Amino acid sequence: MKMLLSTKGITICLFFFVSSLAAAIEIPLSVAQLPTITEQSHTQVAYPFDEDFTIKCEARGNPQPTFNWTKDGKPFDLLSDPRIAATNNSGTFVIQNRGIITNFQGKYRCFASNVLGTAMSEEIELIVPSVPKFPKEKIEPLDVEHGDSVILHCNPPKGIPPLHIYWMNIDLQHIPQDERVSMSLKGDLYFANVEENDSRSDYCCFAAFPRLRTIVQKMPMTLKVSRFKHANDSGSPNAAVTKANFIKERKPRLLIPPESAGSSSSVTVIKGGVLLLECIAEGLPTPHLNWVKITGNLPKDEPETENFGKILKIDHVTTADEGTYQCTASNPMGRAKHEFHVHVEEPPQWIKKPQGGVYSVGTNLVLLCEAIGNPEPTIQWKFNGMPIDSRTFRGRISAREISLTNLQLQDSAVYQCEASNKHGTILASANVNVLNIAPLILTSDGENYAAVVGYSAFLHCEIFASPAADIRWTKDDSIEPLSTLRYELNKNGTLEIKETKKEDSGSYACWAANSVGKRAITANLDIRDATKLVVTPKNPRVLKSHSILLKCQAEYDSHLKHSFKLSWRKDGDELPVNSTESGRVILDRDTLFISSVTQEDQGVYMCVARTSLDSVMAESWLIVLDVPDPPEDLQLSENQNRSVRLSWKAGASHNSPVNESIIEFEENRWEPGRWQELTRVLGNDTTALLSLAPYMNYQFRVLSVNAVGKSQPSKPSLRYATPPAAPDKNPENIRVEASEPNEMVMKWEPLKPMERNGPGLEYKVSWRQQGVEVDWNEEMVKKHSLTLRNTPTFVPYEIKVQAVNNLGSGPEPNITIGYSGEDVPDAAPSGVSVDIVNSTLVKVFWFGIPRDRVRGHLRGYKVSWWKTKSMLDGKRHHPEKHFLTFVGDRNYGMIPGLEPFSEFRLTVLAYNSKGDGPESSPVVFETPEGVPEQPRFLRILNFDKDSVTLSWGLPKKPNGHLTGYILQYQMINETHEIGPLSDVSVTNRSTLSWRLSGLSSSTKYKFYVKACTVKGCGKPVTEEGLTMAQGTYAGIYDGISTQGWFIGLMCAIALLTLLLLTICFVRRNKGGKYSVKEKEDLHPDPEAQSIKDEIFGEYSDSDEKPLKGSLQSINGDIKATESADSLVDYGEGEHGMFNEDGSFIGAYSGSKEKGSVESTGSSTATFPLHA
């Protein structure tokens, strides 16, 4: 049941009672307490190469403990030897490695004592090894006979294990060992029987002590093996050896264990250790050893052996390994056996250790101590490090238990329990602290806590008290303990507020009380807003090799800004902050960017936000889309002559379902290695019945398709061959081609390899002349064409082509009509006439030739024409032929692009696929006059204050008799806005210049000149000019005067001119003389200046920049003659680009000309400007 808590209102309360809290808390060091050993050394080796050896013993207690040591059970004074350095307030001491330190070897024990009791450490053994050495001795050589057994003893010196023994010669080469020669665990070298090649004088035993970094060598031993010889007649050495061996042959005899040990022996091994059983035998021939367990639990596996079967080894011994093991040495002469009775024992181990603690006065104490081991350990109790005397001890004591009732302060002590057997001793201590103190609150007063909404808040109140204290919490001004299910008091005094709310903020008090006294502290709690996270996009689906950007949007309390941190994880593993995989995955605080996404990038990406108070996570599942994996395990079934069923297993779809499967085939009879599509299967079906063609050796493969694309092809299926059959179809696209008259070439598309259906494919060709022949002519061919010669020219034939193979013929073929070879037409068109449309366009009419004179398929007519003379000057022209082609059967055509006022001749011919027929007789016609082209140039020769002189050139093509010129002009400004247009008519056609008067000074004008004939005026040529103020010149190009570079240039020229004038003035005042060149420069020739202006003043303009509102007034008299004929009437040929009136597009393009300006010495002039 939920209840709202008010900071000042009445609350329903629940009193929390907590008992025995002190026993669970470590005693504060400020409280009087028994010593406790906190650190100690264990078995230690004093290596000769170490500078010193540290024996540690540290303890805590109140009062501060004092330390005492025993060595081998007797008191040991740390001040007894100057090589011992002790530490104040510590039991640790250091032994300096100076001189002989063997007297320090022994077993040490540390005692830490204060007025309350004594703590005791475990035994610490210090081992001071001596440097191992072999004794210097003289070893007599061993002389033995061939076949004897020999033992070479090593007797290695004592040292710190492990010990490694090697037998080598004086050159440090290992003595070879085998079943005959081997080394025992003690290091002796055993020969089951010796051979002559065993003789040598350098058998050396080496003992290595790795922990001492020492290797020692025994003096070399000599072994001499001699042959056993008997006097006999043969004297043969081989015979002697054979006889000796025969005498020496004997059954095995065990050397380890020795015969003195009897037929059996007992072996004890520590549980968890390694069991090593050894049997070494001598005999001739060399005995063979084997092992068997004859009693106890039999091992599951064959036991492991070493040293050529002479050692049985069992690692990690358990009680199950107890039992009797038998080794048997055998050779052809007999056998020897020995039994090992294995006993598994173990050192003491704790079952239950005594547990100390804090006890209040009047309570009872029970300490338990139980241990196991083999043999069973003996238990000894000690009180402050001393054995307990049961006669004076006021409590009850037994081997496994100590009990005391009605504890008093003086019962505080350290109790030790020691369990021992022959394999070791273990020690456990229990500190019994009997205390009677008021509560100590270990948590600081006035602590500030913070939590976030919805999370638990923990307010700490760590208390030590004896007797145990009662603890309660209150909030703000209330004196009632906190209640409701949201509040929980933990055993250590901490208050947990579950699912915190904003109203939980405030001040809290912790109260602790026992029979001795009471204490209280306060704590302040602030509730912050919880952190919120959203990862976008949510569960994106991304194509492989594309990129993805994940963004983590977070909201958090402003007070937590400095502790706020973001991190990213993938599938639970943290992603490194630095970019990975050469920058492919980039983390940038709240964004995660992955470029070139792979399948390995798929997974759950988690954004983790952490503050000092909370941690939240938001995740997004990245789904990587890719083409499917290739299908697998293709199987063929339901085999038929023309079908088979193909089945397969679909590969992984990579998050996009398969919507189609493509089945391809390859056949090795016609096109080996070429894969072709056979069929498609919609959906995710994994089987298809395939329709097949006869006489093919197929193999198939499958490609899966999903929304991303196609998979790689699967591995091919097994081959599947279909039987042959007659053709199912005939050739298609039957046609007739002929390059010569009286010839007919019949062609067709050959059957594809899949359409042959069997071996021996041929084509049966049948033909007959249409309407003439009744019977069919037939011929069998293997290629896909047949040529007939001596056929009539261009007559129709009926043709059939049928496919045939070794198994039969295809279906009845269809009849195709084809024509025999063509020849060029043998007649020319007649009735050719010409209608003049305008000065550049005519319409030609003719009568077509009869069909039988075409001698083929009529392709169309060609019209040819050429200019013979100009009507203007009567000059004859070299004939340059032009032609246009008119496709199809027609009788007229339009001829555009003719020159006006000229005489032409024209012919017409018919043509077919074979070529052109004869031309018609030439027809002569004349084109009328047309409008002239624009004048070649327009120049401004002179510009007075109110007049201008213009000069222009003749038109390039007058296209008739010139009747005069039209001169037009108008004012313009910088924005090309224009004034009214004025006209001047020049009726004298020989006039090529004109002076215009009545102009305004300092005004920009545009001038137009166009030539005229009786047909009208042509396109104008234009020029612009600007009148300037008194004493200035016009003619500068439009816009130059306003350019920055021009103004700068003029300023520079003005400065240079001023400088020159200054120099001249100075020289003149000095009486200097001018050179002739200088005089010429100062007094230029006006005529020469005019020539310069004409050479460099290019102001003619081919660009016709239209002025606003001027196009109609300028070109209004240039009218195109419209033709009633459509563009369809124009033929195909070299005159392809023309207007409706027959004139070529771009015929009136302007040309740039050079002009000049004459210097007349007037005070006003103009420079030409580009239009």
Side-chain angles (χ1 to χ4, degrees), residues 936-983:
R936 294 177 185 269
F937 63 88
L938 173 60
R939 298 178 184 141
I940 301 174
L941 297 182
N942 191 11
F943 216 124
D944 288 333
K945 187 174 182 181
D946 58 354
S947 64
V948 65
T949 301
L950 302 178
S951 174
W952 60 87
L954 291 170
K956 184 177 181 181
K957 291 184 180 180
N959 293 337
H961 296 290
L962 293 178
T963 60
Y965 298 91
I966 298 297
L967 174 62
Q968 298 173 309
Y969 61 95
Q970 59 191 156
M971 288 188 294
I972 59 176
N973 58 21
E974 294 299 329
T975 61
H976 294 288
E977 294 180 354
I978 61 174
L981 188 68
S982 301
D983 291 349

XYZ file of all heavy atoms in Angstrom, residues 936-983:
392
model
N 29.901 44.422 -97.481
C 31.073 43.777 -96.885
C 31.515 44.466 -95.593
O 32.000 43.834 -94.684
C 32.244 43.769 -97.872
C 31.992 42.909 -99.097
C 33.178 43.011 -100.055
N 32.921 42.294 -101.294
C 33.247 41.022 -101.492
N 33.828 40.352 -100.538
N 32.985 40.448 -102.637
N 31.408 45.815 -95.526
C 31.854 46.528 -94.340
C 31.133 47.857 -94.262
O 30.515 48.306 -95.232
C 33.372 46.744 -94.356
C 33.859 47.594 -95.497
C 33.923 48.992 -95.367
C 34.244 47.022 -96.702
C 34.365 49.767 -96.431
C 34.680 47.807 -97.754
C 34.752 49.176 -97.629
N 31.231 48.503 -93.089
C 30.730 49.850 -92.856
C 31.750 50.553 -91.973
O 32.073 50.065 -90.894
C 29.354 49.824 -92.173
C 28.802 51.178 -91.731
C 28.650 52.123 -92.918
C 27.472 51.002 -91.006
N 32.285 51.712 -92.463
C 33.298 52.460 -91.723
C 32.864 53.901 -91.524
O 32.161 54.461 -92.357
C 34.652 52.441 -92.447
C 35.226 51.041 -92.602
C 36.528 51.076 -93.349
N 37.030 49.720 -93.579
C 37.608 49.338 -94.696
N 37.740 50.184 -95.704
N 38.060 48.110 -94.832
N 33.354 54.471 -90.434
C 33.151 55.905 -90.168
C 34.439 56.606 -90.569
O 35.471 56.463 -89.915
C 32.833 56.136 -88.689
C 31.582 55.364 -88.288
C 32.656 57.620 -88.395
C 31.290 55.416 -86.811
N 34.368 57.347 -91.678
C 35.584 57.987 -92.194
C 35.831 59.333 -91.530
O 36.971 59.722 -91.307
C 35.473 58.178 -93.712
C 35.352 56.881 -94.529
C 35.289 57.223 -96.008
C 36.525 55.956 -94.262
N 34.791 60.082 -91.190
C 34.980 61.423 -90.639
C 33.775 61.761 -89.778
O 32.643 61.414 -90.107
C 35.130 62.443 -91.780
C 35.591 63.788 -91.258
O 35.992 63.907 -90.099
N 35.524 64.797 -92.104
N 34.055 62.440 -88.665
C 32.970 62.825 -87.756
C 33.189 64.277 -87.348
O 34.137 64.575 -86.643
C 32.992 61.939 -86.510
C 31.627 61.621 -85.993
C 31.222 60.312 -85.837
C 30.747 62.647 -85.670
C 29.967 60.015 -85.359
C 29.498 62.342 -85.195
C 29.090 61.036 -85.029
N 32.334 65.147 -87.869
C 32.394 66.543 -87.443
C 31.486 66.724 -86.245
O 30.922 65.767 -85.722
C 31.977 67.470 -88.594
C 33.071 67.508 -89.672
O 34.247 67.275 -89.299
O 32.738 67.707 -90.840
N 31.360 68.005 -85.854
C 30.562 68.280 -84.669
C 29.118 67.856 -84.838
O 28.487 67.357 -83.906
C 30.650 69.771 -84.344
C 29.998 70.154 -83.030
C 30.250 71.601 -82.734
C 29.652 71.983 -81.398
N 29.867 73.398 -81.075
N 28.556 68.037 -86.055
C 27.152 67.684 -86.285
C 26.961 66.870 -87.540
O 25.855 66.769 -88.070
C 26.296 68.957 -86.364
C 26.772 69.883 -87.474
O 27.825 69.560 -88.081
O 26.104 70.900 -87.708
N 28.017 66.243 -88.048
C 27.900 65.423 -89.263
C 28.910 64.290 -89.190
O 29.858 64.322 -88.402
C 28.137 66.273 -90.514
O 29.463 66.775 -90.518
N 28.692 63.275 -90.074
C 29.568 62.117 -90.135
C 29.615 61.606 -91.553
O 28.631 61.702 -92.305
C 29.082 61.011 -89.185
C 27.745 60.469 -89.624
C 30.110 59.880 -89.092
N 30.756 61.100 -91.972
C 30.904 60.514 -93.304
C 31.029 59.005 -93.145
O 31.899 58.528 -92.398
C 32.141 61.066 -94.022
O 32.008 62.485 -94.128
C 32.277 60.454 -95.405
N 30.146 58.264 -93.822
C 30.142 56.803 -93.774
C 30.631 56.245 -95.088
O 30.339 56.795 -96.161
C 28.740 56.274 -93.472
C 28.091 56.739 -92.171
C 26.681 56.163 -92.065
C 28.914 56.305 -90.988
N 31.356 55.083 -95.002
C 31.817 54.380 -96.200
C 31.490 52.911 -96.037
O 31.650 52.365 -94.952
C 33.331 54.568 -96.369
O 33.814 53.781 -97.444
N 31.033 52.268 -97.124
C 30.677 50.847 -97.067
C 31.138 50.128 -98.317
O 31.483 50.756 -99.320
C 29.169 50.678 -96.848
C 28.300 51.282 -97.941
C 27.910 50.705 -99.087
C 27.792 52.605 -97.960
N 27.159 51.568 -99.837
C 27.064 52.751 -99.141
C 27.864 53.706 -97.065
C 26.419 53.937 -99.483
C 27.212 54.853 -97.401
C 26.498 54.978 -98.592
N 31.123 48.805 -98.259
C 31.554 48.000 -99.390
C 30.380 47.391 -100.117
O 29.238 47.384 -99.639
N 30.682 46.871 -101.344
C 29.658 46.194 -102.134
C 29.248 44.900 -101.440
O 30.042 44.307 -100.716
C 30.185 45.879 -103.536
C 30.425 47.068 -104.464
C 31.172 46.621 -105.709
C 29.098 47.729 -104.834
N 28.033 44.447 -101.657
C 27.658 43.134 -101.111
C 28.433 42.033 -101.813
O 28.780 42.154 -102.991
C 26.154 43.049 -101.361
C 25.890 43.991 -102.460
C 26.882 45.100 -102.352
N 28.729 40.974 -101.060
C 29.499 39.862 -101.645
C 28.727 39.234 -102.795
O 29.285 38.905 -103.837
C 29.783 38.816 -100.563
C 30.662 37.673 -101.037
C 30.972 36.717 -99.894
C 31.869 35.582 -100.380
N 32.159 34.621 -99.289
N 27.448 39.042 -102.618
C 26.584 38.519 -103.675
C 25.408 39.477 -103.819
O 24.546 39.540 -102.934
C 26.090 37.115 -103.335
C 27.179 36.060 -103.370
C 26.598 34.678 -103.109
C 27.689 33.598 -103.150
N 27.116 32.263 -102.894
N 25.347 40.193 -104.943
C 24.228 41.138 -105.111
C 22.909 40.447 -105.416
O 21.852 41.026 -105.185
C 24.682 42.028 -106.263
C 25.708 41.224 -106.991
C 26.373 40.333 -105.991
N 22.987 39.182 -105.967
C 21.791 38.392 -106.276
C 20.821 39.142 -107.194
O 19.600 38.937 -107.154
C 21.051 37.995 -104.986
C 21.853 37.020 -104.155
O 22.719 36.320 -104.680
N 21.588 36.978 -102.856
N 21.337 40.032 -108.026
C 20.509 40.792 -108.979
C 21.137 42.148 -109.241
O 22.248 42.449 -108.774
N 20.422 42.972 -109.987
C 20.902 44.324 -110.277
C 20.611 45.214 -109.099
O 19.454 45.358 -108.676
C 20.209 44.875 -111.541
C 20.545 44.083 -112.776
N 21.805 44.089 -113.374
C 19.780 43.244 -113.537
C 21.793 43.307 -114.429
N 20.564 42.766 -114.554
N 21.689 45.839 -108.543
C 21.512 46.730 -107.421
C 20.764 47.973 -107.851
O 21.026 48.553 -108.916
C 22.858 47.131 -106.824
C 23.664 46.017 -106.128
C 25.003 46.561 -105.633
C 22.884 45.429 -104.962
N 19.838 48.418 -107.019
C 19.074 49.642 -107.300
C 19.482 50.764 -106.382
O 19.041 51.910 -106.591
C 17.572 49.372 -107.150
O 17.338 48.949 -105.800
C 17.103 48.300 -108.123
N 20.282 50.512 -105.347
C 20.698 51.554 -104.428
C 20.896 50.983 -103.033
O 20.966 49.755 -102.832
N 20.968 51.939 -102.023
C 21.213 51.543 -100.650
C 20.257 52.292 -99.729
O 19.815 53.405 -100.048
C 22.651 51.846 -100.233
C 23.675 51.088 -101.051
C 24.220 51.628 -102.220
C 24.099 49.819 -100.652
C 25.144 50.934 -102.965
C 25.031 49.119 -101.400
C 25.560 49.672 -102.546
O 26.472 48.988 -103.290
N 19.937 51.701 -98.628
C 19.161 52.347 -97.568
C 20.103 52.586 -96.396
O 20.708 51.652 -95.864
C 17.970 51.486 -97.120
C 17.006 51.285 -98.278
C 17.261 52.146 -95.942
C 16.367 52.559 -98.785
N 20.262 53.867 -96.000
C 21.099 54.261 -94.877
C 20.182 54.659 -93.724
O 19.300 55.494 -93.904
C 22.015 55.421 -95.276
C 22.860 56.041 -94.161
C 23.814 55.014 -93.591
C 23.652 57.235 -94.713
N 20.396 54.058 -92.508
C 19.571 54.331 -91.331
C 20.477 54.624 -90.139
O 21.596 54.125 -90.062
C 18.669 53.124 -90.996
C 17.682 52.777 -92.095
C 16.938 51.479 -91.798
O 17.580 50.488 -91.507
N 15.623 51.524 -91.898
N 19.986 55.459 -89.205
C 20.751 55.754 -87.998
C 19.791 56.152 -86.896
O 18.671 56.585 -87.133
C 21.796 56.837 -88.245
C 21.210 58.170 -88.671
C 20.959 59.178 -87.725
C 20.919 58.419 -90.013
C 20.418 60.380 -88.111
C 20.378 59.616 -90.411
C 20.126 60.610 -89.460
O 19.591 61.801 -89.839
N 20.297 55.977 -85.616
C 19.504 56.336 -84.461
C 20.436 56.521 -83.265
O 21.527 55.951 -83.207
C 18.458 55.269 -84.139
C 19.046 53.910 -83.863
C 17.991 52.813 -83.802
O 18.308 51.690 -84.022
N 16.758 53.146 -83.535
N 19.985 57.351 -82.300
C 20.764 57.598 -81.095
C 20.578 56.427 -80.119
O 19.482 55.864 -80.019
C 20.319 58.908 -80.425
C 20.749 60.153 -81.179
S 20.403 61.652 -80.229
C 18.627 61.623 -80.210
N 21.656 56.103 -79.338
C 21.583 55.083 -78.293
C 22.350 55.596 -77.084
O 23.157 56.526 -77.192
C 22.173 53.732 -78.758
C 23.643 53.888 -79.170
C 21.369 53.134 -79.899
C 24.306 52.581 -79.549
N 22.064 55.006 -75.902
C 22.822 55.373 -74.704
C 23.538 54.137 -74.154
O 23.553 53.079 -74.777
C 21.909 56.013 -73.654
C 20.775 55.086 -73.258
O 20.861 53.871 -73.455
N 19.716 55.644 -72.704
N 24.108 54.278 -72.942
C 24.925 53.191 -72.385
C 24.114 51.950 -72.112
O 24.642 50.844 -72.062
C 25.611 53.657 -71.097
C 26.649 54.753 -71.292
C 27.786 54.318 -72.188
O 28.102 53.119 -72.186
O 28.345 55.155 -72.909
N 22.822 52.062 -71.882
C 21.970 50.894 -71.605
C 21.316 50.362 -72.870
O 20.423 49.522 -72.796
C 20.883 51.262 -70.589
O 20.063 52.306 -71.122
C 21.492 51.704 -69.272
N 21.786 50.829 -73.991
C 21.283 50.406 -75.298
C 19.811 50.764 -75.516
O 19.131 50.134 -76.317
C 21.493 48.900 -75.505
C 22.935 48.510 -75.573
N 23.749 48.796 -76.647
C 23.729 47.899 -74.662
C 24.970 48.362 -76.414
N 24.992 47.809 -75.199
N 19.324 51.748 -74.814
C 18.007 52.289 -75.145
C 18.166 53.199 -76.356
O 19.153 53.921 -76.488
C 17.428 53.044 -73.951
C 17.119 52.135 -72.773
C 16.538 52.920 -71.618
O 16.506 54.160 -71.723
O 16.131 52.284 -70.618
N 17.192 53.184 -77.224
C 17.368 53.794 -78.544
C 16.383 54.925 -78.763
O 15.328 55.008 -78.121
C 17.208 52.737 -79.649
C 15.805 52.141 -79.580
C 18.269 51.672 -79.537
C 15.505 51.197 -80.722
N 16.777 55.782 -79.707
C 15.882 56.848 -80.137
C 15.208 56.486 -81.451
O 15.326 55.363 -81.954
N 14.497 57.404 -82.053
C 13.797 57.112 -83.327
C 14.789 56.830 -84.449
O 15.912 57.319 -84.457
C 12.983 58.387 -83.577
C 13.691 59.455 -82.809
C 14.251 58.794 -81.604
N 14.351 56.014 -85.394
C 15.183 55.595 -86.532
C 14.962 56.543 -87.704
O 13.820 56.824 -88.081
C 14.828 54.162 -86.924
C 15.716 53.495 -87.956
C 17.111 53.249 -87.389
C 15.104 52.164 -88.392
N 16.063 57.038 -88.265
C 15.992 57.933 -89.446
C 16.499 57.192 -90.664
O 17.471 56.425 -90.577
C 16.836 59.202 -89.205
O 16.366 59.895 -88.054
N 15.843 57.401 -91.836
C 16.192 56.720 -93.088
C 16.731 57.721 -94.099
O 16.250 58.854 -94.207
C 14.975 56.029 -93.687
C 14.537 54.853 -92.838
O 15.301 54.473 -91.916
O 13.440 54.303 -93.065
